[in-house]
Amino acid sequence: QTVVTQEPSFSVSPGGTVTLTCGLSSGSVSTSNYPNWYQQTPGQTPRTLISNTNTRSSGVPDRFSGSILGNKAALTITGAQADDECDYYCVLYMGSGIVLFGGGTKLTVL
Amino acid sequence: EVQLLESGGGLVQPGGSLRLSCAASGFIFSNYAMNWVRQAPGKGLEWVSGISGGGTSTNYADSVKGRFTVSRDNSKNTLNLQMNSLRVEDTAVYYCARDVRTATTHGHFDFWGQGTLVTVSS
């Protein structure tokens, strides 16, 4: 059974740049998986950051960007801020109306 | 203003059933696919099920296939999830989420409800 993989945790310094990745336990991620990225702060519902690989949602700062890096989808945060500290989830389209979330990455800004 | 309001959560014994509903307002309901996404306490997000705008196409995660049934009533702007043969591992907050597409999802959910808690325990 295919699993979507994400780093369980990541740390970045304020003002720094971090790239979170989203892969598949078997195979490569491509634009055909329509990678989407969500941000979730504790106690809140998820917020869409990036859709369809690299489209920023309305109101999302341009320090967030999405791409395909090698065989994974990637979310890059440039100039990290304290309020970027939260959980990040990717979700991939697997075909036939099925999508899978990754396990999420807990980002620490310190 | 788009609003999604889930209801129907609660405590149920293993093997039992529960029916969740999501009342939608502020948009043309039939123009959008809808989804259920759950989050177990302290855990990550898990897509559970999706249904197309017209209700003709439904899909399920392997973990719930054969036990859960998604449906919608476009005349009442309501999304439903019938959950049977519930297991302890189904314990989670269940969110309904609007898709940006009319057809089945590609994973882009633009509006979420606040969720309803389902606890499966003896």
Side-chain angles (χ1 to χ4, degrees):
Chain A
Q1 187 162 352
T2 301
V3 174
V4 177
T5 62
Q6 294 185 249
E7 299 87 359
S9 62
F10 226 119
S11 183
V12 61
S13 300
T17 297
V18 63
T19 296
L20 312 182
T21 67
C22 175
L24 288 170
S25 56
S26 60
S28 299
V29 176
S30 73
T31 55
S32 298
N33 295 114
Y34 303 98
N36 296 277
W37 290 91
Y38 294 87
Q39 179 190 59
Q40 188 181 33
T41 54
Q44 300 297 313
T45 59
R47 166 200 185 195
T48 312
L49 291 176
I50 301 288
S51 62
N52 195 15
T53 304
N54 55 16
T55 301
R56 248 188 322 272
S57 290
S58 175
V60 173
D62 60 7
R63 66 177 185 275
F64 291 92
S65 62
S67 63
I68 299 290
L69 287 180
N71 62 351
K72 296 183 179 182
L75 173 70
T76 299
I77 307 172
T78 305
Q81 299 181 2
D83 59 5
D84 296 334
E85 183 166 295
C86 58
D87 298 326
Y88 294 85
Y89 296 92
C90 69
V91 59
L92 300 177
Y93 176 64
M94 305 305 294
S96 302
I98 303 297
V99 297
L100 289 177
F101 276 94
T105 297
K106 185 176 185 63
L107 182 67
T108 300
V109 181
L110 55 75
Chain B
E1 178 191 4
V2 172
Q3 291 194 345
L4 300 170
L5 183 62
E6 302 93 339
S7 61
L11 175 64
V12 62
Q13 292 187 338
S17 298
L18 212 55
R19 183 177 178 86
L20 305 183
S21 293
C22 172
S25 61
F27 63 101
I28 300 173
F29 187 61
S30 59
N31 282 0
Y32 296 87
M34 296 295 295
N35 299 270
W36 289 98
V37 177
R38 69 184 180 184
Q39 188 166 32
K43 302 297 184 182
L45 299 167
E46 180 187 14
W47 177 82
V48 172
S49 180
I51 185 169
S52 60
T56 56
S57 181
T58 59
N59 298 99
Y60 302 91
D62 286 345
S63 57
V64 307
K65 195 176 298 181
R67 299 187 299 123
F68 290 11
T69 302
V70 64
S71 63
R72 64 191 297 160
D73 185 338
N74 286 346
S75 68
K76 297 181 179 178
N77 292 351
T78 301
L79 173 72
N80 302 299
L81 185 68
Q82 178 66 41
M83 304 186 295
N84 298 332
S85 303
L86 282 162
R87 305 168 180 168
V88 171
E89 55 265 35
D90 294 319
T91 295
V93 173
Y94 284 73
Y95 298 101
C96 69
R98 192 182 83 165
D99 207 277
V100 299
R101 289 164 48 89
T102 304
T104 51
T105 185
H106 281 177
H108 185 182
F109 316 124
D110 59 355
F111 287 95
W112 300 64
Q114 288 303 305
T116 186
L117 176 62
V118 172
T119 303
V120 185
S121 175
S122 54

